[in-house]
Amino acid sequence: MTEPVFKQIAIIGAGLIGASIARAAMEYGVAESVSLYDADADVRRRAEAIGLGDVADTLAAAARTADCVFLCVPVGALSDVAAETVPAMKAGAILTDVGSVKGQASSALAAADDGRVHIIPGHPIAGTEQSGPEAGFASLFRNAWHILTPREGGDEAYAEAVSQLEAFWRGLGAKVETMDAARHDRVLAITSHLPHLIAFNIVSTAFDMETVEQGEVVKYSAGGFRDFTRIAASDPVMWRDVFLTNKDAVLECLGRFSEDLAALQRAIRWGDGDTLFKEFSRARSIRKAIIDAGQDSGAVNFGRNQAADAPEGDGDETD
Amino acid sequence: MTEPVFKQIAIIGAGLIGASIARAAMEYGVAESVSLYDADADVRRRAEAIGLGDVADTLAAAARTADCVFLCVPVGALSDVAAETVPAMKAGAILTDVGSVKGQASSALAAADDGRVHIIPGHPIAGTEQSGPEAGFASLFRNAWHILTPREGGDEAYAEAVSQLEAFWRGLGAKVETMDAARHDRVLAITSHLPHLIAFNIVSTAFDMETVEQGEVVKYSAGGFRDFTRIAASDPVMWRDVFLTNKDAVLECLGRFSEDLAALQRAIRWGDGDTLFKEFSRARSIRKAIIDAGQDSGAVNFGRNQAADAPEGDGDETD
C-alpha cells in the first residue's frame, strides 16, 4: 500500500476521467477520501449509487476541505467552474484539471487564481470512447502519460505542490511529464486531435454514401472502418471544445493532412504505383518504430527517402 | 471433427492469408492435405520450416492434384499467376482467390479460364497488419465475413462447386455471403480501402510536422494516433494494387471524404460549435449501431489478436 499523497481529493465532474481518478485514488490508496460533485443531479445520483465517493450537493461542499481539486469538465466549461471552485478551496490546496487543450485550460484556471491556491494544469493521455460515471475504472491511467503544465517561476511551495501532484499521478500508475502548454497543444493536435477529427469525418462520409447501404457499412466494418468508429464514439461535447480551443494547431495539421492526401489522390488517379508503394512503406516503418520504441523513445527519424529501404511485402493480403 | 470438404487444397502465395488458410484447413479438418507454393524461395523455405504443408518446388506441382486452388497473391499479380495455374489444374477442380478488389480479380481469373475448372473469386474480410508465412494463424477467419463473387448463369456442376467452397469457408469459421464483384468493390472502397488510405496518410503527415518532434509523436501516440499506425502497417504491395485496381470507387469515396472534411475545417475556423457537436454526435450514434449489430465481438478483428502488437488495452486512446 502506498502512503496516501493527499488526505482528501475532490472530483468536480463525474464523467469517465473523474470517475476513474476517484476509483484509482481509493483502490491504489493514493488518497484517504474522495469527495465528488457534478452539475448534473442525475450524474450525482448515479455516482452515489455506484459508490464513487462522498457525493456533495454543491461544488463548494465538495471542494471545501480537499487538499487537491480535480476539475474534470470539458475545456469549454473550465472558466466558469474554476471561478466557482477557487473561492471555496482552502488556502494552500492544489487546483488541477484534465483538459485536452492546455493553452485554454491554463488561461481559464489562471483567471480564477486568487493567490491562495496552487494552480497546476494537467492532462492524462488516456481514455476510452465511453462516457459517464459508470465508465470509470481504476486502471485507466496505468502506463499512460500524464502531462503537467505548471507555470514558470513558482516559489518553493508551488514546486512542492507540483511534486505532490506528480506523486499522486505516479501513484495511479501514470508516467508524468512536464512541458509548456503551447508545446502540449502542438503535440496533441497531431497525435490526438487530428486523428479524432479524421475518424469523426470518415464515419459521417461512410454513412452518406448513396451507392452503399448503411447496413453494408456496418456488416463489413471489420475491413478497417470499425477501428475509426471506435475513436469516433468519443464524447461530442469534449471534442467540440477541443477543436474550438486548439484551433490554430489543428488547422495547421489539417492543412498538411489535406495536402498529403491530395498527393495520394493524384497518384491513384494517374496510376502512380511507385509513389503509393513508397508512401505506404514509409507508414509501415513508422509503425515498426512505435512498437520497437515501446512508445518511450525519442530516437526515431523518418525521412522521406527512407521509404525505399522498407522491406518488400511477402505478397499477402491484409483484408 | 468436420468431414473434410476437399481431399487436397493448394495454396499459391504463403503470406498471412495463405498461411492462415493452410493452418485453419488442417486444424479444423476441412481439407485432408495442403500443398503450398510461393514464388519466393525464401518464403517456401520458411513455410516448410514451420510446417505449413507440403511445400512444392513449382506452382504446377502444388496445383496438379488439388481439388481447390487458392491464389493468395496481390491483386496485381493475379493475371500472371492464374494463367500459370489453370493449365496445371485437374479438370473439375475449383480455382479461387482472396484478392481485395473483385472486379480486377474476376477479370484476371476469367482470362485464364480454359473451361475445365470452376472459377469462383472470393475475399475474406479478415487480416492483421502482419505479413509473411509466420503471421498465419488458424482462427483468423472465425466470425469474419467471406464474400464470394461467382459468375452468373453457371451450370449445375458450377453451383455444386460454389456450395463446396462455401462449405469450406464455413468450416474455417467464416460467415459466407455472395454478391456481384462491382458491388463488393463499392462496399469495400468505403469500409476498407478509404480507411487504409487515410491511415497511411495521417502517419506520413504526423512524421513530416516540423513543429513537433517525431519522438513526441511516438511517445504520445496513445492519444488516438496509434490506432492509425496499426492499420497503416499493412502490406504496401497489396495496398498499392488495391488502389490501382479499385480506382473509381476509391476516388469517389475520397472526394466525398475531402468535401466533408472541408466542412469540418470551416466549422473549426469559424468557431461553429453547433456544427461540430452535431457531426460528432452523429458519428457516435453510428458506432452504437455497429456495436448493437454485434459487429464488434473482437473474435476476428483487425490486428487485435496479434500478440506482437503494441502493449495497449482494449479501451484506450480517446484523448
Side-chain angles (χ1 to χ4, degrees):
Chain A
M1 197 74 165
T2 327
E3 182 77 9
V5 176
F6 298 117
K7 253 182 118 65
Q8 186 201 334
I9 64 168
I11 307 290
I12 310 301
L16 165 69
I17 299 291
S20 294
I21 295 173
R23 291 226 181 271
M26 294 308 290
E27 187 164 325
Y28 304 141
V30 193
E32 281 180 27
S33 72
V34 175
S35 58
L36 280 116
Y37 175 77
D38 194 288
D40 184 329
D42 180 56
V43 171
R44 288 201 300 276
R45 191 189 46 73
R46 284 152 57 196
E48 185 144 43
I50 59 174
L52 273 189
D54 303 320
V55 178
D57 287 336
T58 65
L59 192 160
R64 192 164 293 133
T65 54
D67 303 293
C68 185
V69 179
F70 295 80
L71 304 186
C72 306
V73 299
V75 171
L78 267 180
S79 282
D80 289 349
V81 174
E84 194 181 342
T85 305
V86 170
M89 290 172 64
K90 67 180 187 186
I94 295 170
L95 179 68
T96 187
D97 77 311
V98 297
S100 304
V101 181
K102 292 334 294 175
Q104 174 73 15
S106 301
S107 306
L109 299 193
D113 193 0
D114 63 359
R116 294 183 313 114
V117 300
H118 298 300
I119 290 178
I120 311 167
H123 177 213
I125 315 293
T128 76
E129 72 276 21
Q130 310 294 320
S131 305
E134 298 82 2
F137 58 100
S139 64
L140 177 61
F141 310 108
R142 294 192 69 164
N143 297 317
W145 287 99
H146 186 79
I147 300 176
L148 294 178
T149 60
R151 65 179 164 80
E152 295 283 309
D155 58 13
E156 209 173 302
Y158 186 76
E160 171 57 29
V162 172
S163 295
Q164 269 195 299
L165 189 56
E166 286 183 4
F168 177 85
W169 281 101
R170 287 211 186 86
L172 303 197
K175 301 171 286 186
V176 181
E177 185 77 79
T178 294
M179 63 176 76
D180 73 62
R183 184 170 153 224
H184 169 279
D185 291 352
R186 280 197 310 272
V187 172
L188 271 288
I190 189 67
T191 57
S192 177
H193 305 171
L194 182 63
H196 276 79
L197 192 72
I198 297 307
F200 283 125
N201 192 63
I202 199 172
V203 170
S204 283
T205 301
F207 274 70
D208 288 337
M209 299 290 297
E210 300 94 2
T211 50
V212 173
E213 289 167 29
Q214 295 182 353
E216 290 176 306
V217 174
V218 170
K219 192 166 172 180
Y220 302 114
S221 62
F225 181 70
R226 190 167 56 196
D227 277 353
F228 289 73
T229 67
R230 191 163 60 88
I231 303 182
S234 305
D235 184 51
V237 172
M238 173 202 152
W239 283 101
R240 176 198 64 195
D241 288 359
V242 165
F243 294 112
L244 293 178
T245 56
N246 199 22
K247 184 167 106 171
D248 292 343
V250 169
L251 288 177
E252 165 70 12
C253 294
L254 195 44
R256 286 160 175 267
F257 174 86
S258 295
E259 266 175 44
D260 294 342
L261 190 60
L264 288 181
Q265 182 167 354
R266 191 170 182 280
I268 292 172
R269 192 176 299 281
W270 292 95
D272 178 2
D274 288 349
T275 293
L276 296 176
F277 176 74
K278 255 184 242 169
E279 285 300 316
F280 298 168
S281 299
R282 185 163 168 264
R284 178 179 239 198
S285 68
I286 289 167
R287 168 65 176 180
K288 288 211 171 86
I290 286 182
I291 292 173
D292 292 349
Q295 295 162 57
D296 249 20
S297 168
V300 286
N301 195 321
F302 298 92
R304 285 218 174 252
N305 50 1
Q306 282 192 303
D309 299 335
E312 177 115 0
D314 287 308
D316 54 356
E317 288 282 320
T318 298
D319 73 319
Chain B
M1 199 74 164
T2 326
E3 182 76 10
V5 176
F6 297 118
K7 254 182 118 65
Q8 187 201 335
I9 64 168
I11 306 290
I12 311 302
L16 166 68
I17 299 291
S20 295
I21 296 173
R23 290 226 181 270
M26 294 309 289
E27 187 163 325
Y28 304 140
V30 193
E32 281 180 28
S33 73
V34 175
S35 58
L36 281 115
Y37 176 76
D38 193 287
D40 184 330
D42 180 55
V43 171
R44 289 201 298 278
R45 192 188 47 70
R46 284 151 57 197
E48 186 143 42
I50 60 174
L52 273 189
D54 304 320
V55 178
D57 287 335
T58 64
L59 192 160
R64 191 164 293 133
T65 54
D67 303 293
C68 185
V69 179
F70 295 79
L71 303 186
C72 308
V73 300
V75 171
L78 267 180
S79 283
D80 290 348
V81 175
E84 193 180 344
T85 305
V86 169
M89 291 171 64
K90 67 179 185 185
I94 296 170
L95 179 68
T96 189
D97 77 310
V98 297
S100 304
V101 182
K102 291 331 299 172
Q104 173 73 14
S106 301
S107 307
L109 299 192
D113 193 0
D114 64 359
R116 294 184 314 113
V117 301
H118 299 300
I119 290 177
I120 311 168
H123 177 213
I125 316 292
T128 76
E129 73 278 20
Q130 310 294 319
S131 305
E134 298 83 1
F137 57 100
S139 64
L140 178 61
F141 310 108
R142 294 193 68 168
N143 297 317
W145 287 98
H146 186 79
I147 299 176
L148 294 177
T149 60
R151 63 177 164 82
E152 295 283 310
D155 58 12
E156 209 173 302
Y158 186 76
E160 171 58 27
V162 172
S163 294
Q164 270 196 299
L165 190 56
E166 286 182 4
F168 177 86
W169 281 102
R170 288 212 185 86
L172 303 197
K175 299 171 287 186
V176 181
E177 186 76 78
T178 294
M179 65 175 77
D180 73 63
R183 183 169 153 223
H184 169 278
D185 291 353
R186 281 197 309 272
V187 172
L188 271 288
I190 189 69
T191 57
S192 177
H193 305 170
L194 181 63
H196 277 80
L197 192 73
I198 296 307
F200 284 124
N201 191 65
I202 199 172
V203 170
S204 282
T205 302
F207 275 70
D208 288 337
M209 298 292 297
E210 300 95 1
T211 49
V212 173
E213 288 168 30
Q214 295 177 352
E216 291 176 305
V217 174
V218 170
K219 190 167 173 179
Y220 301 114
S221 62
F225 182 69
R226 191 168 57 196
D227 276 353
F228 290 74
T229 68
R230 184 173 54 220
I231 303 182
S234 306
D235 184 53
V237 172
M238 174 204 152
W239 283 101
R240 176 198 64 196
D241 288 359
V242 165
F243 294 112
L244 293 179
T245 56
N246 199 22
K247 184 167 107 171
D248 292 343
V250 169
L251 288 177
E252 166 69 13
C253 295
L254 196 44
R256 285 160 176 266
F257 174 86
S258 295
E259 266 175 44
D260 294 343
L261 190 60
L264 287 181
Q265 183 167 355
R266 191 170 183 280
I268 292 171
R269 192 176 300 281
W270 291 96
D272 178 2
D274 289 347
T275 294
L276 296 175
F277 177 74
K278 254 183 248 167
E279 285 301 315
F280 298 169
S281 299
R282 187 162 167 262
R284 177 178 240 198
S285 68
I286 290 167
R287 167 67 175 179
K288 289 211 172 85
I290 288 181
I291 292 174
D292 292 347
Q295 292 299 307
D296 202 43
S297 68
V300 175
N301 199 330
F302 199 88
R304 300 258 170 77
N305 35 17
Q306 291 296 290
D309 208 350
E312 58 201 7
D314 233 334
D316 55 357
E317 60 232 83
T318 298
D319 69 325

